[in-house]
Structures are given as C-alpha cells and as structure tokens.
Amino acid sequence: MYVLFSFFFFQAEDGIRDAQESRGLGDVYKRQAFLHATMQACLDSGRLLVDLTALFAFVLASIHCLSGMQATAVFLEGVLRTHAAEVEAGESKKAQNCLLLLAHMYNLKLIGCRLVYDVVIWLCESFNEESVAQILLLLKNIGFQLRSDDPAALKSLIQLAKTKAAERSLDAGQGRVHYLLEMIDDLKNNKRLKSTESIFVGERCPQS
C-alpha cells in the first residue's frame, strides 16, 4: 500500500491543491457517492477509458472549486487504494484506468507532482512487465510536465529505473523495458513525443 496515504493530507503544495472550505458534513456522503460512481464507470477490465476518465476528472475539478480540497482528498485516497487493490488482483486495465484518473487530476492541477512521483516509485519497486507498462502509461502522458515541475525528482527516477532493470537482469532490448529506458532518456534530454501519442490535447490547464 502506498506510504503517501499517511501524509498527503498535510502537503497541499506537493499534493492536493487548496480551494474553498467544505460546506458541511453532508458533503461526505456526496463525495463517497461520486467516488463510487466513478469507480463503477471507469474500472473497465478490457480497455482504457481515456475520455470517460477525463470527464470524471473534470467533474471532480468542478466539485473541488465548489466544495474545497476535502472532496479531492476523499477521491484521491479512493483512487490510490483501488489502484493498489487492482494491481494486487492482477487486473491490468482496471489499474491503468485508475492511473488515467490520476494523470487527469495532475493535468488539472488538483494534485502535485510529488504525489505522482511517489506512485511511480512504488511501481518501480516491483519492476515487472505490468508495472513497467503502468509507468509507461503515466510518463507517456504527463512525463514532460513532471520534468518541468521537478527535474531533480525525474533524475532520481531515471537512476532508480536503470538500477531496477540491472538488478533483475532485464534485457534493455526487451520491449517495454527498452521503451521505458528510451522514454526517460528522452524526458531527461527534453525530447518531446508527438502530440498524437498523448491522451492530452494542448497545454496543461493554467494555474488560476
């Protein structure tokens, strides 16, 4: 389970971005209902739901503006717990759809780069075929923004990925591992992917 569960509530600048205060205890039930509806709709076991996860992320951004960061905190914890559970259960596409939600939240500036880096580092710990695929999914879509937000963390991630590949004697020419190492080198050297290779269109949402 993610270590970040214990501290992300206390680091608004590195995790959840602040907004207005919550408007009542009744909001708790609404937050849980929205989280449940999102998980029911987005956790498809057969395909990646890029557009649908984006839609729910935009709805969350609206709720965040109206109700405050508590709604985002509840949603984020639910997404992270669900992702960890789906990884444990071997549900590849469901876990990846959770990461798409996380990527959209980051793109909308609902969460900060440190939290995303923590997830990537957690995935690097196992560094098997599936975790590499999930790291690729995140870096392919938000890697350059992560580089922009915290280049030092990216440098540490590059070293970690190369170390894990060496520890497990993974062939650098092996499909996904080769692509990952190539991608992080491109990020390091600021070589952008073609826009068609990203789930996002245009630039990241501006800071309000």
Side-chain angles (χ1 to χ4, degrees), residues 55-125:
L55 175 62
F56 276 95
F58 276 109
V59 174
L60 176 64
S62 299
I63 296 172
H64 180 96
C65 291
L66 293 171
S67 302
M69 62 184 291
Q70 292 89 347
T72 306
V74 170
F75 189 88
L76 176 61
E77 181 178 9
V79 170
L80 293 176
R81 288 187 183 278
T82 302
H83 175 255
E86 299 300 349
V87 169
E88 183 70 21
E91 290 285 354
S92 173
K93 285 295 185 290
K94 289 184 178 181
Q96 290 181 30
N97 279 316
C98 285
L99 290 184
L100 285 179
L101 284 168
L102 194 71
H104 287 302
M105 291 171 67
Y106 174 65
N107 191 54
L108 292 168
K109 290 184 175 287
L110 295 175
I111 58 176
C113 65
R114 296 291 182 87
L115 192 148
V116 180
Y117 272 122
D118 283 339
V119 174
V120 175
I121 290 171
W122 181 80
L123 289 168
C124 277
E125 289 302 314

Side-chain angles (χ1 to χ4, degrees), residues 24-85:
L25 294 176
D27 287 346
V28 173
Y29 302 103
K30 296 176 185 177
R31 296 167 196 155
Q32 293 291 348
F34 176 65
L35 172 63
H36 179 73
T38 303
M39 295 298 102
Q40 287 290 313
C42 294
L43 295 192
D44 193 294
S45 60
R47 57 187 175 138
L48 294 179
L49 301 177
V50 176
D51 294 335
L52 190 61
T53 52
L55 175 62
F56 276 95
F58 276 109
V59 174
L60 176 64
S62 299
I63 296 172
H64 180 96
C65 291
L66 293 171
S67 302
M69 62 184 291
Q70 292 89 347
T72 306
V74 170
F75 189 88
L76 176 61
E77 181 178 9
V79 170
L80 293 176
R81 288 187 183 278
T82 302
H83 175 255

